[in-house]
């Protein structure tokens, strides 16, 4: 392997730009390519003319399948932004074109797996948990400056909407409770954006009786990101926004203090990219690393949930 890796980034939006800058900071040679400018032919030309060690795919979801396919034809490891796909047919096509070896050296962009509080939760005994809740909400119009929802990938009825956009929560739920399967999906739509979910609740259940809910929305005026686990011996409260962790039992419930952490959000992206570089080099990574080959079940849960959404109502307030 060359001393300096060459990892181009396809997709020049905010997330692609972040990955490109992080790669440069890690000492990797990287070019930032606009898919609209180069198209699939430009990507094919890049792979044929350059020595490429890996590719970051940070385009809109509907066009990723063709990019994954052409990278697979050149046996180039990929870091693919989430969601990997939003239909089972797309998902089958993606896994069908990647060899086991390539899937083991590629990643899906579930960067929340690198959140220290998820790592903290993964180290505790969750065997007696009988119910869990994962909640994320944020007013979509407040996300970024000089950004309009109507012009974004999120407003696209094919591949947009809050379930796909904020599917990290579903992935985290499956990481901690892999036996839980989605059994019902209820969504709220918007009159101006047909088939785009603005609020979605995914109900999950397991054969041992455990139940869970993952709720996400584009509407909350106050940013919220929390997980709560209810067990026979304890209650675990995790605030991913306030960066606190609290474990309570009957004796400590009134006196327990929340543990707090200090970290920068970009740390998760950097850690993910470090793992991708390690995979390219054939090095070992942690068990939570979202390799393409070990995230199939979680990707299936997301795709099935999107396909099975049931719209139970719609809103009509102005979205800009």
């Amino acid at each position: 392997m060359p001393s300096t890796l060459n990892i181009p980034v396809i997709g020049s939006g905010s997330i692609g730009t972040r990955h490109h800058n992080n790669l440069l900071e890690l000492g990797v040679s990287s070019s930032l390519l606009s898919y609209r400018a180069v198209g699939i032919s430009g990507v094919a030309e890049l792979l044929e003319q350059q020595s490429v060690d890996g590719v970051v795919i940070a385009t809109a979801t509907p066009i990723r399948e063709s990019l994954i396919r052409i990278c697979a034809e050149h046996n180039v490891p990929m870091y693919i932004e989430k969601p990997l796909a939003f239909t089972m047919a797309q998902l089958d096509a993606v896994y069908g074109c990647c060899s086991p070896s390539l899937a083991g050296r590629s990643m899906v962009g579930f960067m929340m797996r690198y959140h220290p509080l998820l790592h903290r939760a993964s180290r505790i005994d969750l065997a007696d948990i009988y119910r869990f809740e994962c909640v994320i909400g944020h007013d979509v119009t407040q996300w970024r400056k000089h950004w309009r929802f109507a012009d974004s990938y999120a407003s696209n009825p094919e591949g947009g909407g809050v379930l796909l956009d904020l599917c990290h929560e579903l992935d985290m739920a499956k990481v901690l409770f892999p036996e839980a399967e989605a059994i019902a999906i209820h969504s709220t739509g918007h009159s101006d954006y047909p088939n785009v979910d603005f609020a979605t609740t995914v109900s999950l259940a397991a054969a041992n009786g455990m139940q869970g809910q993952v709720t996400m929305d584009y509407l909350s005026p106050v940013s919220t990101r929390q997980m709560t686990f209810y067990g026979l011996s304890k209650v675990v409260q995790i605030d991913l926004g306030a960066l606190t962790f609290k474990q309570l039992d009957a004796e400590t419930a009134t006196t327990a203090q929340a543990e707090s952490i200090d970290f920068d959000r970009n740390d998760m992206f950097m850690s993910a990219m470090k793992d991708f570089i390690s995979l390219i080099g054939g090095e070992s990574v942690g068990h939570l690393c979202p390799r393409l080959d070990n995230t199939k079940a979680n990707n299936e849960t997301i795709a099935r949930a999107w396909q099975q959404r049931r719209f139970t109502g719609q809103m009509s307030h102005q979205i800009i």
Side-chain angles (χ1 to χ4, degrees):
M1 180 177 296
S3 58
T4 301
L5 297 176
N6 179 23
I7 304 177
V9 177
I10 305 169
S12 56
S14 62
I15 187 63
T17 300
R18 180 188 290 271
H19 289 316
H20 171 66
N21 290 335
N22 286 344
L23 286 167
L24 294 178
E25 187 171 338
L26 290 170
V28 173
S29 175
S30 178
S31 53
L32 183 62
L33 306 177
S34 166
Y35 181 78
R36 290 181 181 178
V38 302
I40 193 69
S41 60
V43 175
E45 183 178 345
L46 172 74
L47 296 176
E48 291 166 1
Q49 295 185 356
Q50 292 189 23
S51 176
V52 174
D53 300 291
V55 170
V56 175
I57 299 175
T59 63
T61 308
I63 60 177
R64 287 183 194 147
E65 182 186 334
S66 59
L67 289 169
I68 293 168
R69 189 177 298 278
I70 196 168
C71 288
E73 290 173 356
H74 288 78
N75 198 34
V76 175
M78 294 161 278
Y79 181 105
I80 310 159
E81 263 307 322
K82 58 77 192 170
L84 184 61
F86 57 93
T87 70
M88 290 301 296
Q90 292 171 340
L91 203 59
D92 290 343
V94 167
Y95 278 97
C97 73
C98 293
S99 68
S101 172
L102 180 60
R105 292 179 290 128
S106 298
M107 286 177 62
V108 183
F110 292 127
M111 58 84 181
M112 287 298 294
R113 291 192 180 203
Y114 296 89
H115 197 293
L117 287 179
L118 182 69
H119 281 254
R120 177 75 170 81
S122 71
R123 293 194 300 269
I124 65 176
D125 184 3
L126 299 173
D128 72 340
I129 300 301
Y130 60 86
R131 182 166 64 91
F132 67 87
E133 298 172 355
C134 301
V135 179
I136 179 170
H138 192 182
D139 181 353
V140 72
T141 65
Q142 300 178 17
W143 281 15
R144 304 182 190 96
K145 293 181 179 179
H146 313 301
W147 183 85
R148 294 179 72 251
F149 178 77
D151 299 332
S152 74
Y153 66 89
S155 67
N156 186 347
E158 290 295 309
V162 72
L163 187 153
L164 296 178
D165 206 1
L166 303 181
C167 63
H168 290 294
E169 261 50 35
L170 268 176
D171 178 64
M172 288 191 290
K174 289 283 288 181
V175 165
L176 297 172
F177 306 103
E179 67 276 22
E181 296 294 341
I183 58 172
I185 298 90
H186 294 97
S187 297
T188 298
H190 194 286
S191 57
D192 293 337
Y193 301 95
N195 206 40
V196 176
D197 53 312
F198 278 68
T200 291
T201 296
V202 180
S203 298
L204 302 102
N208 64 0
M210 181 182 62
Q211 298 181 0
Q213 281 196 336
V214 177
T215 303
M216 57 273 280
D217 71 70
Y218 278 151
L219 307 169
S220 176
V222 178
S223 181
T224 301
R225 196 163 207 171
Q226 300 171 338
M227 299 189 296
T228 306
F229 313 140
Y230 301 90
L232 299 175
S233 64
K234 59 185 172 293
V235 174
V236 179
Q237 299 173 337
I238 301 171
D239 193 318
L240 295 158
L243 302 178
T244 60
F245 179 100
K246 185 186 290 187
Q247 183 168 320
L248 310 171
D249 57 35
E251 295 181 356
T252 64
T254 59
T255 59
Q257 297 294 315
E259 306 170 28
S260 61
I261 64 168
D262 181 24
F263 91 116
D264 184 83
R265 182 170 178 267
N266 195 53
D267 293 345
M268 295 185 292
F269 294 94
M270 287 290 280
S271 294
M273 206 50 62
K274 289 177 182 177
D275 267 1
F276 183 44
I277 292 171
S278 294
L279 289 177
I280 291 173
E283 301 172 13
S284 62
V285 293
H287 72 285
L288 291 184
C289 175
R291 296 196 327 251
L292 180 60
D293 63 343
N294 66 19
T295 57
K296 186 176 182 180
N298 293 20
N299 291 316
E300 288 176 344
T301 295
I302 292 165
R304 286 198 184 102
W306 188 86
Q307 288 184 292
Q308 295 171 8
R309 292 172 302 164
R310 178 188 174 199
F311 284 86
T312 55
Q314 67 177 17
M315 309 188 78
S316 59
H317 67 292
Q318 185 178 19
I319 300 290
I320 58 174

